[in-house]
Amino acid sequence: MAPDNRQLFLSKRVVTENKIFDGGILVKDGVIEQLLTRQEANNFVTENDGKVEVIDGGELALLAGVVDSHVHVNEPGRTAWEGFRTATSAAAAGGITTIVDMPLNSIPPTTTLKNLNTKASSAVGNVFVDVAFWGGIIVGNQNSLQDMVKAGVVGFKCFLCPSGVEEFPNVDARDLELAFVALEGTGSVLAFHAEIEEDNATIKNKIKKKDPEEYTTYLESRPPSMELNAISLVKSFVEKTDVRVHIVHVSSANVVPLLEEARRIRLAAGNKSWRGGVTAETCHHYLTLSADQVPRGCSEYKCAPPIRDRDNKERLWKYLLEDKLDMVVSDHSPCTPDLKCSNNLEAWGGISSVQFGLSLFWTNASARGLDLRSISKYLSSSTALLCGIQDRKGAIKPGLDADLVFFDPDSTFTVTSEIIRHKNKLTPYLGKELQGVVKQTYLRGQLIYDGSDILGEPKGNLLLNSY
Ligand SMILES: NC(=O)NC(NC(N)=O)C(=O)[O-]
Ligand SMILES: [Zn+2]
Ligand SMILES: [Zn+2]
């Protein structure tokens, strides 16, 4: 590092959200100071020879580090499923420089200030990238929310259907009334797993005679109406509160018009939040895979809500490019192999992919004629905005952390167990050739991944107020 911690990152393709240019990024003490044209960069080097560390990526694209706002790290408690060291080393290798940990599958779940501190104690010193945290809303913990806001959680996640783990029960309208009151005026955001279980006997009858190893049996058990019912409930709250709401992992394109209606109501009422405080994400698996591609008995493809048909996938892409969906995340939700049995109705619901989100998105996006700015928009700046960390993360902009990725958009690689750094290697992407190779990942100006190895000790920070 140069004497006053000055670095100049050079690239023929510096990717900001609105332009791709040949030039440089001047960094001081791990913070982006200035964007320079190629000429300005050359002059700077001439005038400061020996006083600045020059990092020249040549033809490699230089992107803002990805902010993956939906990652289940499951530590403490279910550390056989995943942990901070493995999840964040996978993130670093995947060009992700910030992950936001979900409040469940860890034991205890992040539903009180005490539990948040327990989680933070297990994370500190064990994170290779920066980590922020979601709090959780469950039945009866409404009095814990404001303390967690003060401690710095990015927002709160709740389930409208069973979550899959008993210590994180789903909430209903009454619980939500209390949660919204507690969050009013905090500026926080309430994120929903938006499926409401239908107890109608028809679904149960329809599938009870069907082969549980066939993916279609699972798919029929989670119809789009479950997502629509949930969004209708969320919309009823949007009409009477100003609290920001976010829909995680939208799977059915059918819900988007309803989300648009909820956003229209908020904007008409003069809500000044980003997107009227009504946002939604979809996931790499919904944009990459479709139900017809899921082999029998392969529950590594199982997630909730489910991967649906090709037509639905195309409609999700259409809505994303029309800015009616706001961001794309992993929803990395791993488990141990024994829980991914061949019975799709009983297997754990969750897909492991945190290391591959950037390349998954770029494989699809480049094939659809999008340019590199789409990565920054949907995987970095939007997720940073959702989590209220846009003044530190998610873009190549002066004042933000120098979380940077040198990315080769033209090369490909094949997903194999050997390269997977998350703890359990089962993923639907095994054997898949992806486009876009992460060559170097920098966290606040520090090289943490060099294209083959995670370097040194964990350098990540916890994005909480007292860490
Ligand atoms: N308990 C979980 O990790 N659930 C997750 N599982 C999925 N998406 O299949 C989720 O985000 O709902
Ligand atoms: Zn969920
Ligand atoms: Zn999730």
Side-chain angles (χ1 to χ4, degrees):
M1 195 72 92
D4 59 355
N5 284 354
R6 250 217 170 89
Q7 298 163 294
L8 179 60
F9 289 82
L10 294 175
S11 160
K12 293 229 171 67
R13 291 184 279 185
V14 179
V15 182
T16 65
E17 196 180 333
N18 43 40
K19 65 178 179 177
I20 300 172
F21 68 97
D22 175 4
I25 303 174
L26 195 54
V27 170
K28 185 172 183 335
D29 297 330
V31 175
I32 296 171
E33 253 194 344
Q34 212 179 337
L35 306 188
L36 303 175
T37 63
R38 177 61 62 170
Q39 188 57 54
E40 290 165 338
N42 293 341
N43 297 344
F44 186 89
V45 173
T46 310
E47 290 149 23
N48 294 275
D49 192 19
K51 288 189 286 184
V52 60
E53 179 192 7
V54 178
I55 300 148
D56 190 343
E59 296 292 335
L60 294 176
L62 186 53
L63 301 168
V66 168
V67 175
D68 189 341
S69 53
H70 193 151
V71 178
H72 296 265
V73 179
N74 304 339
E75 183 179 359
R78 292 193 174 85
T79 45
W81 294 20
E82 191 58 276
F84 282 108
R85 278 189 174 249
T86 44
T88 58
S89 56
I96 297 168
T97 48
T98 302
I99 65 168
V100 190
D101 173 51
M102 278 288 163
L104 74 159
N105 306 338
S106 55
I107 301 172
T110 317
T111 49
T112 65
L113 180 60
K114 181 170 177 285
N115 291 358
L116 172 64
N117 287 326
T118 301
K119 174 163 281 192
S121 311
S122 55
V124 73
N126 290 311
V127 292
F128 288 96
V129 299
D130 286 356
V131 178
F133 298 88
W134 287 97
I137 290 180
I138 57 173
V139 182
N141 81 322
Q142 63 279 2
N143 296 331
S144 302
L145 307 186
Q146 291 183 1
D147 285 345
M148 286 192 272
V149 170
K150 289 185 194 110
V153 297
V154 303
F156 295 87
K157 164 80 173 291
C158 69
F159 274 71
L160 298 180
C161 65
S163 69
V165 290
E166 65 184 18
E167 70 279 359
F168 202 92
N170 60 283
V171 292
D172 64 16
R174 274 163 307 135
D175 307 306
L176 288 175
E177 292 284 355
L178 299 171
F180 273 107
V181 166
L183 292 180
E184 197 69 59
T186 63
S188 194
V189 56
L190 213 177
F192 291 83
H193 177 120
E195 288 182 289
I196 291 185
E197 285 243 299
E198 291 175 336
D199 59 0
N200 65 28
T202 38
I203 291 183
K204 301 229 179 348
N205 281 339
K206 211 161 92 172
I207 62 169
K208 78 176 174 201
K209 297 188 194 66
K210 297 212 170 169
D211 178 355
E213 298 204 2
E214 283 301 339
Y215 179 70
T216 47
T217 305
Y218 171 64
L219 182 56
E220 285 172 24
S221 75
R222 313 265 321 198
S225 52
M226 286 176 63
E227 292 184 71
L228 276 167
N229 296 340
I231 304 292
S232 302
L233 176 63
V234 174
K235 181 168 167 288
S236 71
F237 282 99
V238 162
E239 289 159 351
K240 54 188 183 182
T241 77
D242 258 338
V243 175
R244 288 195 294 137
V245 298
H246 178 70
I247 310 300
V248 296
H249 51 45
V250 166
S251 158
S252 171
N254 293 359
V255 306
V256 175
L258 209 48
L259 284 170
E260 283 285 290
E261 179 50 28
R263 181 175 299 125
R264 246 193 303 277
I265 292 165
R266 272 281 175 84
L267 291 171
N271 187 292
K272 296 284 179 269
S273 302
W274 177 53
R275 313 283 287 145
V278 178
T279 51
E281 71 190 36
T282 189
C283 299
H284 299 299
H285 36 273
Y286 301 128
L287 294 177
T288 303
L289 302 167
S290 51
D292 54 290
Q293 297 174 302
V294 181
R296 184 176 185 278
C298 292
S299 64
E300 62 269 31
Y301 290 78
K302 177 184 177 178
C303 58
I307 291 165
R308 301 188 189 277
D309 64 25
R310 275 178 195 275
D311 173 61
N312 181 72
K313 179 179 87 170
E314 289 310 316
R315 289 168 60 214
L316 288 175
W317 270 106
K318 175 176 165 296
Y319 283 136
L320 182 72
L321 301 186
E322 289 173 355
D323 287 342
K324 292 176 180 169
L325 286 168
D326 302 294
M327 59 200 82
V328 188
V329 298
S330 68
D331 187 9
H332 176 72
S333 179
C335 65
T336 46
D338 59 302
L339 298 177
K340 282 295 196 181
C341 58
S342 58
N343 178 326
N344 278 305
L345 296 179
E346 289 170 6
W348 171 255
I351 287 179
S352 287
S353 69
V354 68
Q355 188 172 330
F356 305 111
L358 171 49
S359 300
L360 281 166
F361 180 81
W362 180 241
T363 303
N364 293 310
S366 54
R368 292 169 184 268
L370 299 179
D371 73 33
L372 289 161
R373 286 172 297 173
S374 60
I375 297 172
S376 297
K377 176 176 181 177
Y378 295 116
L379 276 59
S380 303
S381 55
S382 292
T383 42
L385 271 164
L386 167 69
C387 299
I389 55 176
Q390 67 278 9
D391 57 352
R392 296 171 64 180
K393 301 292 184 184
I396 290 181
K397 231 185 253 177
L400 272 59
D401 290 346
D403 298 347
L404 301 169
V405 181
F406 278 116
F407 183 64
D408 176 354
D410 309 314
S411 300
T412 65
F413 70 96
T414 301
V415 177
T416 63
S417 299
E418 292 66 41
I419 69 169
I420 293 178
R421 294 172 183 273
H422 19 95
K423 191 164 284 189
N424 293 294
K425 311 305 179 190
L426 192 59
T427 172
Y429 304 112
L430 277 178
K432 201 171 175 61
E433 186 180 30
L434 301 182
Q435 181 160 348
V437 178
V438 172
K439 292 294 195 185
Q440 289 187 326
T441 305
Y442 288 81
L443 180 66
R444 286 178 270 104
Q446 307 160 98
L447 183 61
I448 58 171
Y449 174 69
D450 67 358
S452 50
D453 295 308
I454 299 293
L455 304 177
E457 282 309 301
K459 297 182 181 65
N461 289 339
L462 305 189
L463 303 185
L464 289 169
N465 294 333
S466 50
Y467 278 84

